[in-house]
Amino acid sequence: MPVSAGISQKTMAPSRTEQLISNLLKIGIALTSEHDLDVLLEQIVTEARRFTRSDAGSLYVVEDGLLRFVVSQNDTIMKRQAGAVQKNPYLNRTIPISHQSLAGYVASTGQILNIRDAYKIPASEPYHFNKEFDERYMYRTRSLMVVPLKDPQDTVIGVLQLINALDAHGKPVAFSGMVEELVLSLASQAAVALKNAHLTAQIKKAHFDSILRLSVAAEYRDRDTYYHIQRMSRYSALISKAMGWSKGEIDLLLYASPMHDVGKLGVPDSILMKPGPLTQDERKVMEGHTIIGADILGNPDSDLIRVAKSVALSHHEHYDGTGYPYGLRGDRIPLEGRVVSLADVFDALSSRRCYKPPMSLDHVIEWVRQERGKQFDPVCVDAFFEGVDEILEVYEKYKEPEPESAKEPQPATPTG
């Protein structure tokens, strides 16, 4: 069959436009398949930058009538810092949704901005560029595309900023009109994905809140249970995070660990609330809460309850085999039990109880160090110290309110 004139028999290479459209479709699929909110926020900026060949990018989300700065990426600054990850002081700052900033203008008007040079914006424009970031990091912002993320109801739920477009050779260029149209399409896909991720996060939060309330109900006789569960579950998540667990595994432990002491339902008040040392017989009854908890959570048909049962049964086992109920040693103790054991004991020692005052944090931290390889798995202890700054933040955030008796004015000390 003859070949039509002017058409090569070889497959024609896709044009730049065709490549962009193909990439846009792939990005849309990738975004809609990601439901972890934190991962998605980073992914939106990463994919948009790759799509537009942008040197940098940032993302704001609308919260309580303000814009919160949640993502910042900048290849030039990262190269200058030799790839070292440094905390951006601007992250999590909020700014008004107003014409005082580019992002605020876009959020308030819903209009896209495509700026050739941020330093040459005419004074007559209703928005202006803030040079604070550039001056702080010795950076030069030139081209800018500021894009509203709109949900299906046409409400702006975020703002994407793409900074310094580059050509195929890494030279600065302006964002083209063609790219602008495609980025608007990308922003629509990102907004839908962001909305879905928000809904997923709200469901997870409600799920966790329900677990906390049920766990507190199971131990309602202990007034400090609520704060204990809030802390130890988050300590467990931070330790497992430092151990390199996946996000799904970390979340599973976060939700399962509050049920670690559900077996205390079967412990009499006279033992559970006793303000002094337990007798040997009383201690045996107390130790039975691990087996009672496993029975309550028996025959699990979900991963969550399976992990919760394992934690309830094993969180008082010691790495050296001196724990209970079975005296398991080392790797025979389920890993989730080893993690929760450390989180639970750290919180118990550093908190007030009906039978004791709290130990000082310095004392508890040093004791944890000394119990490495004894009561606690060395890997868990190392992970604890890797995330200790975040652990201490949780300690402060979820600290029990000071008891009323401690707030009463104390009588003056006699001076003779």
Side-chain angles (χ1 to χ4, degrees):
M1 179 180 292
V3 179
S4 299
I7 301 179
S8 170
Q9 290 181 338
K10 295 181 179 180
T11 303
M12 295 180 64
S15 67
R16 170 68 172 154
T17 303
E18 291 170 331
Q19 281 185 326
L20 286 173
I21 293 173
S22 175
N23 290 342
L24 181 61
L25 293 173
K26 293 176 183 177
I27 292 170
I29 294 171
L31 293 181
T32 54
S33 64
E34 180 56 64
H35 300 295
D36 184 285
L37 187 57
D38 292 335
V39 174
L40 178 64
L41 293 171
E42 289 283 348
Q43 191 174 359
I44 288 171
V45 179
T46 298
E47 296 296 347
R49 286 181 53 225
R50 182 182 295 123
F51 181 71
T52 57
R53 292 183 183 146
S54 299
D55 180 59
S58 56
L59 184 66
Y60 296 83
V61 294
V62 176
E63 290 183 359
D64 300 324
L66 298 169
L67 284 175
R68 182 165 68 90
F69 190 20
V70 292
V71 177
S72 176
Q73 299 177 5
N74 191 302
D75 284 350
T76 295
I77 293 174
M78 282 294 290
K79 289 174 183 175
R80 192 185 300 157
Q81 295 173 346
V85 178
Q86 298 184 9
K87 189 172 182 180
N88 188 324
Y90 296 96
L91 286 179
N92 290 315
R93 281 192 185 181
T94 56
I95 61 173
I97 296 178
S98 69
H99 293 192
Q100 297 302 308
S101 66
L102 299 180
Y105 175 85
V106 168
S108 63
T109 63
Q111 299 176 8
I112 187 172
L113 293 178
N114 188 348
I115 299 167
R116 182 175 292 273
D117 191 330
Y119 285 49
K120 297 180 180 179
I121 297 174
S124 58
E125 295 290 355
Y127 48 80
H128 72 275
F129 174 70
N130 187 336
K131 299 180 182 179
E132 180 184 349
F133 180 91
D134 281 13
E135 292 170 351
R136 179 170 188 152
Y137 288 95
M138 293 180 290
Y139 188 71
R140 173 61 163 93
T141 298
R142 291 182 175 82
S143 57
L144 266 168
M145 188 180 293
V146 192
V147 190
L149 304 185
K150 298 181 181 180
D151 67 12
Q153 288 71 46
D154 208 37
T155 300
V156 176
I157 61 173
V159 175
L160 171 66
Q161 284 191 154
L162 298 168
I163 303 163
N164 287 351
L166 305 172
D167 65 17
H169 305 288
K171 301 296 183 183
V173 293
F175 291 98
S176 70
M178 176 190 68
V179 168
E180 180 179 322
E181 291 297 320
L182 294 175
V183 168
L184 280 171
S185 178
L186 185 155
S188 296
Q189 296 176 14
V192 171
L194 189 57
K195 192 81 169 180
N196 290 339
H198 270 299
L199 291 173
T200 300
Q202 288 173 359
I203 291 170
K204 282 186 174 182
K205 185 177 182 300
H207 190 185
F208 185 47
D209 186 59
S210 297
I211 290 171
L212 284 175
R213 291 174 186 273
L214 290 172
S215 299
V216 170
E219 304 178 53
Y220 191 69
R221 293 164 292 177
D222 183 350
R223 66 179 182 180
D224 295 327
T225 293
Y226 174 78
Y227 297 99
H228 167 63
I229 289 175
Q230 289 275 13
R231 291 189 302 266
M232 64 78 54
S233 60
R234 286 170 169 80
Y235 296 157
S236 299
L238 290 170
I239 292 169
S240 60
K241 177 184 175 183
M243 291 170 67
W245 291 23
S246 70
K247 184 67 167 58
E249 292 169 329
I250 295 168
D251 283 348
L252 200 59
L253 189 62
L254 175 69
Y255 301 145
S257 57
M259 293 180 270
H260 68 296
D261 274 340
V262 68
K264 287 183 177 178
L265 280 168
V267 179
D269 284 2
S270 59
I271 296 175
L272 189 65
M273 306 296 289
K274 186 174 180 180
L278 301 179
T279 66
Q280 187 173 355
D281 289 342
E282 288 171 336
R283 180 157 293 283
K284 283 186 178 180
V285 174
M286 176 64 87
E287 291 178 359
H289 82 275
T290 55
I291 295 174
I292 295 171
D295 288 344
I296 291 172
L297 299 166
N299 302 317
D301 56 4
S302 73
D303 287 340
L304 176 63
I305 302 302
R306 175 185 57 77
V307 174
K309 177 181 179 179
S310 174
V311 165
L313 187 61
S314 65
H315 72 285
H316 282 293
E317 299 285 5
H318 294 178
Y319 194 73
D320 61 6
T322 60
Y324 65 86
Y326 301 125
L328 301 180
R329 181 189 297 270
D331 292 348
R332 294 190 62 194
I333 306 169
L335 184 54
E336 56 267 22
R338 285 176 261 159
V339 171
V340 172
S341 173
L342 175 52
D344 187 39
V345 174
F346 172 77
D347 189 68
L349 293 178
S350 58
S351 304
R352 183 191 318 107
R353 291 290 184 268
C354 63
Y355 51 85
K356 72 167 190 69
M359 291 171 59
S360 71
L361 280 177
D362 288 344
H363 191 177
V364 178
I365 289 172
E366 181 55 32
W367 181 82
V368 168
R369 194 188 309 275
Q370 292 173 4
E371 288 298 310
R372 184 181 186 275
K374 299 175 185 177
Q375 183 165 346
F376 305 124
D377 181 346
V379 175
C380 295
V381 172
D382 293 345
F384 172 90
F385 282 104
E386 184 175 334
V388 71
D389 289 342
E390 290 178 283
I391 285 171
L392 294 180
E393 288 177 9
V394 170
Y395 172 84
E396 291 295 333
K397 183 175 181 180
Y398 295 98
K399 188 181 293 185
E400 291 98 336
E402 191 177 358
E404 291 299 320
S405 59
K407 296 178 183 178
E408 296 174 0
Q410 300 299 314
T413 303
T415 58

